[in-house]
């Protein structure tokens, strides 16, 4: 399997787990109903996407992977002269 796709899948799974855990932790610390964890996780996902698209990963994507490992990066095509 393509290493870029594996890195992308690992990144997505990792961030999803972190956002879910933070949502549950925030709900627990705030002492509010557990169902609030889902909207909190969605807000965290949106914030991560915004930050990653501007500061960390490739512009225009929500990836935190460097451009060389991001599957959304188009291949460098060179054509003979």
């Amino acid at each position: 399997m393509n290493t870029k796709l594996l890195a992308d899948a690992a990144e997505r799974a990792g961030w999803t787990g972190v956002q879910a855990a933070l949502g549950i932790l925030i709900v627990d610390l705030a002492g509010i109903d557990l169902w609030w964890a889902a909207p909190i996780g969605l807000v965290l996902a949106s914030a991560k996407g915004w930050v990653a698209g501007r500061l960390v990963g490739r512009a225009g994507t929500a990836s935190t992977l460097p451009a060389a490992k991001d599957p959304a990066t188009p291949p460098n095509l060179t054509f003979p002269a």
Side-chain angles (χ1 to χ4, degrees):
M1 185 174 226
N2 190 340
T3 58
K4 283 186 176 185
L5 292 178
L6 286 175
D8 186 52
E11 178 208 19
R12 289 172 188 255
W15 277 114
T16 300
V18 168
Q19 291 154 2
L22 282 174
I24 292 171
L25 179 65
I26 291 168
V27 163
D28 187 43
L29 291 174
I32 56 179
D33 290 331
L34 183 61
W35 70 268
W36 279 101
I40 290 171
L42 292 173
V43 168
L44 291 171
S46 179
K48 188 273 309 179
W50 185 87
V51 170
R54 283 153 185 78
L55 301 178
V56 184
R58 191 170 142 315
T61 71
S63 177
T64 55
L65 294 171
K69 294 190 182 263
D70 187 2
T73 303
N76 186 11
L77 301 175
T78 56
F79 298 99

